[in-house]
Amino acid sequence: MALPNIFNKDITEKVIQRIDNLKVDTQPNWGKMNVSEMLAHCNVTYEMVYENKHPKPNFFMKVMMKSFVKKIVTSETPYKHNAQTAPAFKIKNSRNFETEKIRLIGYINKTQKLGASNFDNKESHSFGKLSVNEWNNMFYKHLDHHLNQFGV
């Protein structure tokens, strides 16, 4: 079953409505992150696309990521609860809820406005070139997983 298309404005708006339902004290249904850390964690995906703040994996790590992690991240299969988090996605310091929320909504809107064609065969940070469907699955699945984690 295909995941909702994050490049579609209606889907983007629904995801943003879910984010807007979060409060600074929203508690997770599972996991160790608080809501501010979760928003910062979700921002990392977009930082890897739009900013140059995360070092790219070396050749060996990229081969490993493409061989063992890419399918987990880009397929339609939902993530398991409490799955291992990649080191770059671990939030190690406290974050401001409103700041992280505004950043995430900005990234989601930017991605939608750029559109699917911008991501067709675009090089990813860790997995090489991805199809539009793989980009969509990566973006949507990760957001949906964490929004479900916080009950929205």
Side-chain angles (χ1 to χ4, degrees):
M1 181 175 107
L3 294 175
N5 184 353
I6 197 70
F7 300 109
N8 176 292
K9 188 165 179 55
D10 291 338
I11 300 301
T12 297
E13 287 173 359
K14 287 177 186 173
V15 169
I16 291 170
Q17 285 173 351
R18 291 170 69 189
I19 293 167
D20 281 336
N21 286 328
L22 293 167
K23 306 291 179 238
V24 70
D25 60 351
T26 303
Q27 295 299 306
N29 293 319
W30 72 83
K32 298 176 183 172
M33 290 187 281
N34 66 39
V35 68
S36 301
E37 292 166 339
M38 178 274 287
L39 293 169
H41 167 88
C42 288
N43 277 321
V44 173
T45 301
Y46 295 96
E47 291 169 356
M48 289 182 172
V49 174
Y50 299 119
E51 299 179 29
N52 190 22
K53 69 189 286 185
H54 298 280
K56 291 197 177 204
N58 63 32
F59 176 78
F60 175 75
M61 280 306 298
K62 200 163 193 171
V63 168
M64 298 300 288
M65 298 282 286
K66 286 171 80 171
S67 299
F68 298 107
V69 181
K70 179 181 174 184
K71 184 176 180 183
I72 295 167
V73 172
T74 63
S75 74
E76 295 169 3
T77 305
Y79 292 123
K80 294 181 166 107
H81 296 185
N82 298 311
Q84 184 67 27
T85 301
F89 286 80
K90 291 183 179 176
I91 305 304
K92 297 176 177 93
N93 51 12
S94 65
R95 299 298 178 99
N96 179 278
F97 173 79
E98 287 299 326
T99 300
E100 297 302 331
K101 180 178 164 183
I102 290 166
R103 288 179 65 227
L104 184 56
I105 290 170
Y107 284 136
I108 293 167
N109 279 325
K110 179 177 183 173
T111 301
Q112 188 275 317
K113 285 179 180 144
L114 286 170
S117 62
N118 184 73
F119 290 88
D120 189 22
N121 213 27
K122 180 180 174 76
E123 183 84 16
S124 74
H125 184 270
S126 303
F127 305 123
K129 292 182 179 183
L130 299 178
S131 70
V132 169
N133 190 57
E134 289 172 320
W135 279 106
N136 177 70
N137 290 349
M138 181 173 68
F139 286 138
Y140 184 85
K141 181 167 74 168
H142 191 234
L143 290 169
D144 185 60
H145 172 78
H146 288 293
L147 294 173
N148 285 330
Q149 177 186 13
F150 283 82
V152 296

